[in-house]
Amino acid sequence: MLQAITFWVLASVTILSAFFVVAARNPVRSVLWLILAFFSAAGLFVLLGAEFLAMLLIVVYVGAVAVLFLFVVMMLDVDFAELKEGFLSYLPFGGLIAVILAAELILVGRAWTEANVVATNAASATPEGISNVEALGLLLYDDYAYFFQASGLILLVAMIGAIVLTLQHKPHVKRQNIAEQVGRDRKTAVTLHDVKSGEGLGE
């Protein structure tokens, strides 16, 4: 009974939050509804016994939303003072989303603990004696380790490319020129002065 109630609550919240993502005119509120939809979908994965997919949904998708907004702020000339002025107006709405997320986490945790979801809904392809997370970890870091590392390098190149494309050089900031430093020799790096006793260097 608790599993059924948890499923219908999470499914309803997911559908409603997905609708408000599209219906909301304010982009900040749309992102908050999107995060709520991701958390609710992750709760549904936990009820199905797919803990790894739930963790992946929260870490990758919720984290990707934050990184996406970071890139948008870097690419656009956003006035941070104006952005901070409306922060308090979103505080009640953000608190409401946080309360709903906390209630969902408590509900899913109780349903998962009382019904022993891992034991009843474990996938048949999982080897006996290990959990879904351990089986997927062995598969990723053993059979497909090189592909996993290659995907990490691709994401690293994409991150460096985004930083290079959005980097803006300010005219009054001194920057390090590595090629010029490496190419220096004794003639350009050292200056000899014949200073007589009692006299200093001129300006």
Side-chain angles (χ1 to χ4, degrees):
M1 188 63 183
L2 182 60
Q3 284 187 0
I5 294 174
T6 305
F7 170 77
W8 286 109
V9 169
L10 291 177
S12 302
V13 172
T14 304
I15 295 173
L16 287 176
S17 56
F19 172 76
F20 283 115
V21 168
V22 183
R25 295 184 178 181
N26 193 314
V28 178
R29 295 190 175 184
S30 295
V31 172
L32 291 176
W33 285 116
L34 186 61
I35 292 175
L36 180 59
F38 285 150
F39 268 94
S40 303
L44 292 174
F45 279 126
V46 171
L47 291 179
L48 291 174
E51 303 89 358
F52 180 79
L53 292 179
M55 180 184 65
L56 200 66
L57 189 64
I58 294 176
V59 173
V60 175
Y61 283 91
V62 176
V65 169
V67 173
L68 177 62
F69 262 74
L70 177 62
F71 284 166
V72 170
V73 171
M74 291 173 61
M75 294 179 66
L76 300 178
D77 190 11
V78 178
D79 188 2
F80 288 96
E82 183 181 355
L83 188 63
K84 292 179 180 178
E85 289 179 356
F87 175 76
L88 293 177
S89 62
Y90 298 114
L91 189 59
F93 184 73
L96 176 63
I97 298 297
V99 170
I100 296 175
L101 290 178
E104 287 185 351
L105 289 175
I106 295 173
L107 192 61
V108 171
R110 290 191 60 182
W112 182 77
T113 304
E114 293 181 5
N116 196 8
V117 178
V118 177
T120 57
N121 294 329
S124 58
T126 304
E128 186 178 357
I130 63 175
S131 62
N132 292 334
V133 179
E134 187 177 357
L136 287 171
L138 291 174
L139 189 64
L140 281 177
Y141 296 107
D142 190 7
D143 297 338
Y144 298 101
Y146 294 108
F147 297 100
F148 186 78
Q149 296 296 330
S151 63
L153 290 176
I154 293 173
L155 293 175
L156 177 63
V157 171
M159 182 180 67
I160 295 175
I163 294 174
V164 171
L165 290 175
T166 57
L167 183 63
Q168 296 180 357
H169 296 284
K170 297 182 180 179
H172 301 293
V173 177
K174 296 180 66 176
R175 296 188 176 276
Q176 184 180 17
N177 191 342
I178 299 178
E180 183 179 349
Q181 290 179 345
V182 174
R184 295 177 69 186
D185 54 6
R186 187 174 182 276
K187 295 181 180 179
T188 59
V190 179
T191 303
L192 299 177
H193 294 277
D194 187 9
V195 181
K196 296 181 180 180
S197 179
E199 298 181 3
L201 293 176
E203 294 182 358

